[in-house]
Amino acid sequence: MSQLGREQNRAAPRCSVVVPVYRHWARIPALLYCLEAQSLPRDAFEIILVNNEPEADLPALPEGVRLVECSVPGSYVARNRGAAVSRGEVLAFTDADCRPEPEWLAAGLAAAGTPPVQLVAGAIRVEKVSAQPSRWEIYDAAMALPQRRYAREGFGATANLFVPREIFRALGGFSEHRYSGGDRDLCLRARAAGRALVYQDQAVVRHPARTTREAVIGKLRRIKGGQIGEQALLGRIKGFLRTFLPPVHAWRRALRRRDLPWRERWVVVAVQARLWPAEMAEALRLVFRGKGAERE
C-alpha cells in the first residue's frame, strides 16, 4: 500500500463508537477501559463521547477520545451530533453505563458484513449489581432490554446497535424530538426502506440493572412517553389502549424463564402487577397533559 493509501486508511476507521453522556461521567472511565480492551485493533475504531449535560464536570479524557458538545437535550439528538463528526464506515452505539465485552466490536462488524451491509442488534446482558438485590433490581435484570425479542420485532436498542453510515445518512439519523423509542423508529424506517437487521449474540455489552422503584418507574414513564406522546395519532391510540390490558404476555414471559429460579419468576410477576397501575396513570397523564417524563 502507498503512503497515501495508509494515510487514507488511518483517516477512515472501520467503526465509530458513539456514546451520549448525561449525568454518567463517573462511569466513563470503566467504559473506556472496556473499549481499549477490544480485540479489534485500536486504529480500526474511534471513540466519540457526546456531552449532553450543560456545565458538566468533565473528567480528563485519554488521548484519542473525541469529545463533542450537544446543548440540545435528548440522547437521540446527542447521538446525531456524534454521528455527524464520525468517520467510520459503521456507527456502533452504546451507553455510558454499558460495559462492552472484548469481542463486541469485532463480532458486531462481522455481522454487519460487506455490501449489502445491514443493521446489527447486539446482545445486552442486564445484570444485578447488589449483593442482596431488591425486587426492583430482580425485575429489571429479568425484563429490561430484551434485545433478542426486539430484533425479532425488527429493531434494536441503542445500548448495543450497529448502523452502517450509508444507511444512517440516508434515513436522516434519529428523530430528534424523541426522548424514548428513537432506536425503534430508526430501525423500522430502515426495514421499510428494504434494509435488513440481524441479531448477533456474540456482540455483547453488559448493563447494570436498575435498583430502585423510582428508577424502574422512571424508565416505564419514558417508554410510555415514546409509545403515546411521540407517535403519530394511530400509534398513540394503539399505545394508549394497550396500556389498559392486563400485562399477561409479560407475566407469561417471566414464568417461562428457565434461567431464573422460581422465586425470582414470581417476584417479576408481582412487580409487573405493581407497575401496571403506574403505567395506566402515566398513559392518562400523557393524554390529558401531553408531556412525557424527563429523560434519564
Side-chain angles (χ1 to χ4, degrees), residues 1 11 16 36 38 51 56 59 62 75 89 135 167-168 173 187 209 213 216 220 229 251 270 273 280:
M1 180 184 293
S16 297
E36 293 295 342
Q38 292 295 298
N51 178 33
S75 64
E89 300 171 20
R135 70 185 68 181
I167 298 176
F168 192 82
C187 293
R213 175 183 181 276
V216 171
L220 178 150
W251 290 333
M280 290 187 286

Side-chain angles (χ1 to χ4, degrees), residues 209-223:
R210 292 170 177 83
T211 60
T212 65
R213 175 183 181 276
E214 292 73 20
V216 171
I217 289 184
K219 180 63 175 180
L220 178 150
R221 293 181 64 201
R222 285 186 291 276
I223 292 174

